[in-house]
Amino acid sequence: MRFSSQRQATGASFDRQMEAIHEWKDDHQEVEISGHSFEDLGLSGFKGEYLDNAFGRLLLAIKRRKIVSGDYILFEVVDRLGRLKKMDMVDILKQIVDAGVTIVTLDDRNEYNLEKLNNDQGLLASLVGKFEQAYNYSKVLSERIKHSWKRRKKIAKEGGFVKMRTPFWLDKEYKVIPEYASIIESIFEWYLLGDGQRLIHRRLTKNWPEIFGDGFRDEFLLKIKGNKSKIVNCGTIKKWLANKAVIGFWGDIPGVYEPVISEGLFYKVQNALREN
């Protein structure tokens, strides 16, 4: 299970993928659903973030023979495997099929395993073509976003108004929301005391169950007042720790937001991140 955008967390993507899994299972009664499942919710397949999260654990499970020859891994569509460059995707594909594992894409019911890919060059060429198409689409989209970012930065530096998506701890006037300020400060202080992202993740659900109560295994929904919920995982926490918005920056422009922590605390954590 994977989707790229945090905005998809409250959409139909998760339910649609789950429904497709159950439909496939209904047609394959001889297959038993594993106790292992992997969810990268709100992580980019183009930037490779998912490789450091659930998908990375999936590959590790194959390497450690928790997922073995004869097993199936189900994906909604090919690009749920990722949107990296085609040769990077071929390397990931090889890690899976060399272990005797079959990849199933649920949108077209295609199955990819070592035997089929070796015996059907057209199948392999088609799959590589899909990898390339997914990468090119994401590359074009990324360039558009970069262009928009540069244009807005220019306007902001010239003192003009720029519509921006604010971090969850800021309101629409770019002011700190008090009930969220203590959360951010605690995250930074915990990390400085030596707590890792997984321990911080657990502490958030324990200390603020009303805000971080609902969860999926390694992820949970942050319930933001007046806004859509946001998927939070260990990768999200790492991003918060490195986000200069906590000391008022928008990109490299200072003084845009109200700071939520002191610069001293922020830069101490940056040093700790580098050391770790």
Side-chain angles (χ1 to χ4, degrees), residues 83-100:
R83 292 173 176 263
L84 306 176
K85 292 180 179 179
K86 63 182 178 182
M87 293 310 297
D88 292 328
M89 293 306 306
V90 168
D91 180 62
I92 289 172
L93 172 71
K94 193 171 186 300
Q95 290 181 57
I96 297 172
V97 299
D98 276 355

Side-chain angles (χ1 to χ4, degrees), residues 5 14 25 83-84 141 177 191 212 214 256 264:
S5 170
F14 186 93
K25 175 63 175 69
R83 292 173 176 263
L84 306 176
L141 188 61
I177 301 170
Y191 189 82
F212 298 100
D214 296 331
V256 176

Side-chain angles (χ1 to χ4, degrees), residues 9-269:
T10 53
S13 185
F14 186 93
D15 292 338
R16 187 184 64 245
Q17 291 181 58
M18 185 62 75
E19 183 179 350
I21 290 168
H22 288 300
E23 285 179 359
W24 185 88
K25 175 63 175 69
D26 288 342
D27 294 335
H28 296 80
Q29 294 294 329
E30 76 284 2
V31 178
E32 180 184 351
I33 294 290
S34 168
H36 301 289
S37 64
F38 302 87
E39 298 169 1
D40 281 321
L41 309 181
L43 293 176
S44 171
F46 178 64
K47 297 176 182 177
E49 295 172 330
Y50 72 123
L51 294 175
D52 294 326
N53 288 274
F55 194 86
R57 293 194 295 278
L58 182 151
L59 296 178
L60 186 62
I62 292 172
K63 186 176 180 180
R64 292 182 173 174
R65 302 186 183 279
K66 301 292 185 184
I67 300 173
V68 297
S69 181
D71 287 349
Y72 296 86
I73 300 176
L74 311 181
F75 295 90
E76 181 189 27
V77 291
V78 164
D79 64 20
R80 299 298 181 199
L81 278 126
R83 292 173 176 263
L84 306 176
K85 292 180 179 179
K86 63 182 178 182
M87 293 310 297
D88 292 328
M89 293 306 306
V90 168
D91 180 62
I92 289 172
L93 172 71
K94 193 171 186 300
Q95 290 181 57
I96 297 172
V97 299
D98 276 355
V101 178
T102 296
I103 293 170
V104 178
T105 48
L106 298 170
D107 64 328
D108 54 17
R109 296 295 181 100
N110 274 337
E111 295 186 3
Y112 304 94
N113 55 41
L114 193 59
E115 182 180 1
K116 287 186 176 183
L117 292 168
N118 278 334
N119 294 333
D120 188 345
Q121 292 301 309
L123 183 65
L124 178 59
S126 173
L127 186 56
V128 172
K130 289 178 180 179
F131 288 154
E132 188 167 24
Q133 186 178 28
Y135 170 77
N136 288 337
Y137 172 81
S138 290
K139 185 179 179 183
V140 169
L141 188 61
S142 177
E143 290 300 322
R144 288 177 183 169
I145 292 170
K146 285 179 183 177
H147 177 74
S148 173
W149 171 251
K150 287 179 181 178
R151 181 177 58 81
R152 287 186 294 155
K153 280 181 69 176
K154 183 175 182 295
I155 294 171
K157 284 181 178 179
E158 292 172 352
F161 175 77
V162 178
K163 187 176 180 180
M164 297 172 281
R165 290 179 62 196
T166 57
F168 81 91
W169 58 85
L170 298 175
D171 62 21
K172 293 180 180 179
E173 302 298 324
Y174 310 148
K175 300 296 183 183
V176 171
I177 301 170
E179 66 180 301
Y180 296 142
S182 58
I183 293 173
I184 291 298
E185 188 170 13
S186 294
I187 289 171
F188 275 76
E189 289 176 346
W190 289 336
Y191 189 82
L192 206 56
L193 289 170
D195 292 350
Q197 286 130 23
R198 290 191 180 281
L199 180 54
I200 291 172
H201 188 275
R202 291 196 295 270
R203 285 192 173 198
L204 291 173
T205 58
K206 180 181 178 181
N207 288 23
W208 291 279
E210 72 284 2
I211 297 175
F212 298 100
D214 296 331
F216 305 101
R217 297 176 184 84
D218 297 316
E219 285 131 337
F220 51 71
L221 282 170
L222 163 60
K223 295 180 281 292
I224 306 169
K225 284 188 176 179
N227 291 292
K228 292 183 177 180
S229 296
K230 175 185 177 68
I231 292 290
V232 176
N233 51 40
C234 292
T236 312
I237 292 167
K238 188 174 182 180
K239 287 180 181 177
W240 288 343
L241 289 168
N243 190 350
K244 291 181 76 174
V246 297
I247 54 171
F249 279 71
W250 180 60
D252 58 358
I253 305 173
V256 176
Y257 302 137
E258 181 183 2
V260 67
I261 64 170
S262 70
E263 288 194 9
L265 177 57
F266 176 79
Y267 287 112
K268 284 179 183 177
V269 167

